[in-house]
Amino acid sequence: DVKVTQSSRYLVKRTGEKVFLECVQDMDHENMFWYRQDPGLGLRLIYFSYDVKMKEKGDIPEGYSVSREKKERFSLILESASTNQTSMYLCASRSDRGPNQPQHFGDGTRLSIL
Amino acid sequence: DQQVKQNSPSLSVQEGRISILNCDYTNSMFDYFLWYKKYPAEGPTFLISISSIKDKNEDGRFTVFLNKSAKHLSLHIVPSQPGDSAVYFCAASEGAGGFKTIFGAGTRLFVKA
């Protein structure tokens, strides 16, 4: 079974702090994704990566950056946290072996910015 | 502007009956559609998918129907079970790579015993 592990289930940070959310997958997947989930808005794509050191902006990249130094790890960085970044953050990975592979999600990190 | 819409925030169904969850989309370039299921405190898990070249895909109690002319898809669960109570997300992507998957807001299904 694919395992996507997010380092924290709950995180509380202060406005202006630099925040790191970590995600690790164990299935050697090429593609990794970061989403945020907000009530009434579903999952919105922040960034994705299709290979080590490669990254692409999603639909809402403002205020975020990412890092993928190793294939299994994809980090989301909030450069200067703001209260409107309080949300549930979900990481996902996906194989490139065959078209239309589904994404596999971690259990999420609920981030509160005070 | 949401490209994938799930207009029903919640749905309540009696155990053993059919659950029908609906999803509408606006982008005619979408060619692959997926349903994910999410329990509280867990990440979404893939449930079933359908390509735009088909109009129906079935997997056990779950069937997805696609009506391209209406830009509408639906998920049927028959028979519904209490363990099906969860939030269901409809999602759509464009092209074989499909990196940018667009998700709906979700429908919370309650199956009453």
Side-chain angles (χ1 to χ4, degrees):
Chain A
D1 252 4
V2 176
K3 185 75 174 172
V4 178
T5 303
Q6 294 183 230
S7 54
S8 304
R9 293 300 300 271
Y10 300 94
L11 209 51
V12 180
K13 297 290 182 180
R14 296 210 172 272
T15 304
E17 279 192 73
K18 190 169 186 176
V19 181
F20 294 85
L21 301 183
E22 307 287 346
C23 176
V24 176
Q25 51 98 1
D26 66 357
M27 280 302 291
D28 202 36
H29 284 173
E30 293 79 7
N31 307 312
M32 295 189 75
F33 307 80
W34 274 106
Y35 294 88
R36 62 178 282 177
Q37 181 193 356
D38 298 290
L41 297 176
L43 280 68
R44 292 180 293 165
L45 181 63
I46 304 171
Y47 267 95
F48 65 94
S49 168
Y50 52 88
D51 202 350
V52 175
K53 296 192 186 296
M54 306 306 291
K55 59 186 179 185
E56 292 284 343
K57 292 180 180 178
D59 298 317
I60 51 164
E62 297 78 20
Y64 303 95
S65 63
V66 290
S67 172
R68 193 160 180 209
E69 296 297 318
K70 293 185 178 181
K71 192 175 185 180
E72 67 271 18
R73 185 179 297 270
F74 193 34
S75 304
L76 179 69
I77 304 153
L78 284 67
E79 297 292 343
S80 177
S82 64
T83 54
N84 63 12
Q85 292 178 310
T86 291
S87 187
M88 170 69 82
Y89 289 87
L90 290 161
C91 174
S93 73
R94 193 186 72 181
S95 171
D96 250 355
R97 295 155 212 151
N100 298 317
Q101 297 292 309
Q103 296 180 36
H104 300 265
F105 286 86
D107 287 339
T109 296
R110 186 164 292 282
L111 175 65
S112 296
I113 307 296
L114 304 179
Chain B
D1 188 30
Q2 289 188 309
Q3 297 184 63
V4 176
K5 294 182 183 179
Q6 294 177 255
N7 291 317
S8 298
S10 66
L11 174 68
S12 185
V13 171
Q14 198 69 35
E15 180 181 8
R17 307 294 282 268
I18 184 171
S19 296
I20 300 176
L21 293 91
N22 294 303
C23 179
D24 297 296
Y25 61 96
T26 57
N27 186 346
S28 57
M29 299 301 291
F30 287 145
D31 57 7
Y32 197 69
F33 304 88
L34 310 95
W35 285 93
Y36 287 83
K37 175 176 166 180
K38 185 182 185 301
Y39 291 119
E42 295 182 12
T45 55
F46 169 71
L47 188 58
I48 192 169
S49 62
I50 188 166
S51 163
S52 60
I53 63 173
K54 294 186 174 182
D55 54 19
K56 177 182 173 181
N57 189 26
E58 197 170 350
D59 183 1
R61 294 185 298 114
F62 303 91
T63 303
V64 57
F65 295 92
L66 175 62
N67 182 334
K68 282 182 294 185
S69 60
K71 296 192 181 70
H72 177 83
L73 62 154
S74 60
L75 174 68
H76 292 211
I77 307 173
V78 184
S80 301
Q81 299 173 354
D84 296 329
S85 297
V87 177
Y88 290 79
F89 291 100
C90 170
S93 65
E94 176 186 341
F99 286 112
K100 287 196 178 184
T101 301
I102 308 298
F103 287 79
T107 296
R108 184 177 298 277
L109 174 65
F110 299 93
V111 180
K112 297 176 288 187

